[in-house]
Amino acid sequence: DIDDGLRAGFLAFDDLLALPFAAAQWDAIRRRFADVSPDRLQAEFVRDQIGLMVNDVIASTRARIAALGITSIADVRSAGQTIAGFSEPMAAQERQLKAFMYDRVYHHPRQLEAAALAREVIAALFAAYRGDPGLLPEDWRTRMPAGEPAQSRHIADFLAGMTDRFALTCHRAIFGHAPEGLSHV
């Protein structure tokens, strides 16, 4: 999501470095790759962040398993606590990063507009397919269940598998135009 936010222009990399753990990670990456331009290092930063988080979950989970003496699924079920997860320091960093991302990316006005438009497109497609199942591709049409709620679930499953581009293509094919607000697509 960091990479997406940077590409979309929702956040600047320097803003991300206001987070102390991100700044420390960035400094470590710059030391490790001193001869590489900062622009190319941003991708390394994202990969490094993912690696740090994944490795932390693995190490912390293994430590909890050992500390609790977990040897079976029954031990897991009776542990009475979450076993898999971040260490406390990484959990704190993840909460900071999540708050930052909600503020800068997930609740960015352009992202909220795009999400609202996506809901409109999906609602319009659902209504169209529900009203005329013949609009569905043949393989989905031939597997359409006989009654409700299975029919609606089938249509929802079809919609859930769509990429954004395919949903817009289907909308244009059914309605003859791009959704309002996307006339340039």
Side-chain angles (χ1 to χ4, degrees), residues 163-183:
T163 63
D164 295 348
R165 187 179 312 276
F166 184 59
L168 293 172
T169 298
C170 290
H171 187 282
R172 189 178 297 108
I174 292 170
F175 299 104
H177 58 83
E180 191 65 34
L182 278 183
S183 56

Side-chain angles (χ1 to χ4, degrees), residues 78-107:
S78 65
Q81 67 182 63
T82 300
I83 297 168
F86 292 125
S87 65
E88 191 46 50
M90 183 60 76
Q93 290 177 7
E94 191 265 345
R95 286 189 298 273
Q96 260 188 323
L97 181 59
K98 190 179 286 185
F100 175 86
M101 294 299 288
Y102 269 97
D103 182 51
R104 302 293 175 97
V105 178
Y106 308 140
H107 291 157

Side-chain angles (χ1 to χ4, degrees), residues 9-85:
F10 293 172
L11 61 97
F13 195 75
D14 287 343
D15 295 337
L16 183 64
L17 297 181
L19 299 171
F21 72 88
Q25 179 187 346
W26 179 246
D27 289 343
I29 289 170
R30 286 192 342 210
R31 281 191 303 276
R32 200 171 5 150
F33 302 103
D35 58 338
V36 178
S37 73
D39 288 344
R40 293 189 61 213
L41 290 180
Q42 287 182 7
E44 184 61 32
F45 175 89
V46 173
R47 278 191 298 277
D48 199 51
Q49 182 64 39
I50 292 168
L52 288 169
M53 295 175 90
V54 168
N55 289 333
D56 182 87
V57 166
I58 292 168
S60 298
T61 301
R62 284 182 176 157
R64 286 187 198 100
I65 288 169
L68 294 169
I70 304 278
T71 60
S72 69
I73 193 67
D75 292 343
V76 171
R77 289 184 181 128
S78 65
Q81 67 182 63
T82 300
I83 297 168

